[in-house]
Amino acid sequence: MSRRSSLQGLWSSRRSFVLAATGAAVGLGNIWKFPYLAGINGGGAYVWVYLGCILAIGLPIMIAEVLLGRRGRRNPIDGMRLLSEEETGGGWWRAVGWAGVATGILILSYYSVVAGWALDYTLRAAINLFDRGELAQAGRAFDQLRNAPLRQVLWHTAFMAMSCWIVAKGVKGGLERTVGYLMPLLFLLLLVMVGYAAGTGGFAEAVDFLFHPHAGLDGRTALVALGNAFFTLSLGMGVMMAYGAYLPEGISIGRSAIAVAVADTIVAVLAGLAIFPVVFAQGMQPALGPGLLFRTLPAAFLQMPGGSIFLLVFFILLVCAAWASSIGLLEPAVAWLVERHAIPRARAVLIIGAIAWVIGFGTVFSFNRWADVKVFGQTIFQNLDFVTTAILLPLVGMLIALFAGWVMSKSSSADELAEGSLVGYRVWRFAIRFVAPLGIIAIVIHKLVR
């Protein structure tokens, strides 16, 4: 079965899809979130569970998302409605599409604020506003930024405008062309940073920290690792489904998804190898949480020869990664407005961008004016982060696994996947029916009973 996707266009090649999907996957989750989560969760134990979640749960679900996207040839909401009607006679599975798109918008709302911090730091590094030397000074600079709501709003607005500008240009003129430049640049900058970190004197300690389990693992840490695996692969957000809708026939979904997952994982590990050697070389602690990149790194870099240049390179890298991911988070909802309601693409981008921008104010004010506003003991930002990564992403991923593995007929999924390798298809089908859903359930139950 084949459906044309004439409204949005198609990727021009497998390479374009892999670059775009990798761009959507590689972002703040890899370079900001993965290192700080590894830092506060003991390093090696967390990293190995994270890698296991990528292989056993993330990759099968990514293949399923791309499969559903290409099979439906629509935005995630209408695509799931169409597939649900074909496979079950009813359309209630469209709720999976709605949940994914809504999750993507919620994530984008705070993602843009954090990316705004990176823009601010890029400018500060470029004009050498950081004082050399002390961790306390770097901490004060970050506190000043978080306590300045207007400054955060300005950077949040600037980053959202950058993302909207690209998405408004369409699949080939915007998404494909942008990631074609951004992703090679990102990998180059990251390799430069790892090369620099290797000469800091803390590289061996960083490798030991990242790959040797130094502490036991509890249910909460496993759930965090699972949520971060979904976050870094951009699963459960409608992104891979939307990008899959633009994937031409004849291109292997399995091989493409494996390439994306491998590239994404390599970036996360390289980010850790770029950051922790610098931290350890200066005798600093890795368990500083979300402020690791913004409190610790400026002080660490500026105590080292040539550090000011590499500090600038690092924050340019962070902005590039965030930009490539944010356009993927915008695309599913934009595609729905364009296809379902025939709204011009530029207007659809403004509508979705404005919604995410307004929600983002909750994150901005969580660090200053609304810092004392707590729901379930957490700020608005903390609740957004927890609800999306620990609840919605695993839930949507579970539903996708159930639909692709148990609701969709074997002939339908084989029609999209079995052209590459029959053995590979059988492995995927077993994983999506049993390994992925049971793995998600086991991790969630383990957290609840401890």
Side-chain angles (χ1 to χ4, degrees), residues 17 21 30 36 98 112 131-132 134 147 179 188 248 283 296 298 307 346 357 365-366 396 399-402 446:
F17 168 76
N30 304 71
Y36 92 68
W98 275 109
S112 179
D131 294 331
R132 288 186 175 274
E134 299 190 4
N147 290 324
V179 296
L188 175 63
T296 306
W357 178 74
F365 294 136
S366 289
V396 175
L399 293 173
I400 287 170
L402 293 177
H446 186 50

Side-chain angles (χ1 to χ4, degrees), residues 120-132 137 141 144 151 302 308 311:
D120 182 274
Y121 269 56
T122 301
L123 178 61
R124 291 173 67 89
I127 59 180
N128 203 26
L129 284 183
F130 290 108
D131 294 331
R132 288 186 175 274
Q137 191 279 332
Q144 288 170 1
R151 187 166 143 204
L302 293 176
S308 59
L311 180 64

Side-chain angles (χ1 to χ4, degrees), residues 427-440:
V427 171
W428 170 81
R429 186 166 169 80
F430 177 80
I432 203 66
R433 285 166 65 87
F434 300 105
V435 179
L438 291 177
I440 294 172

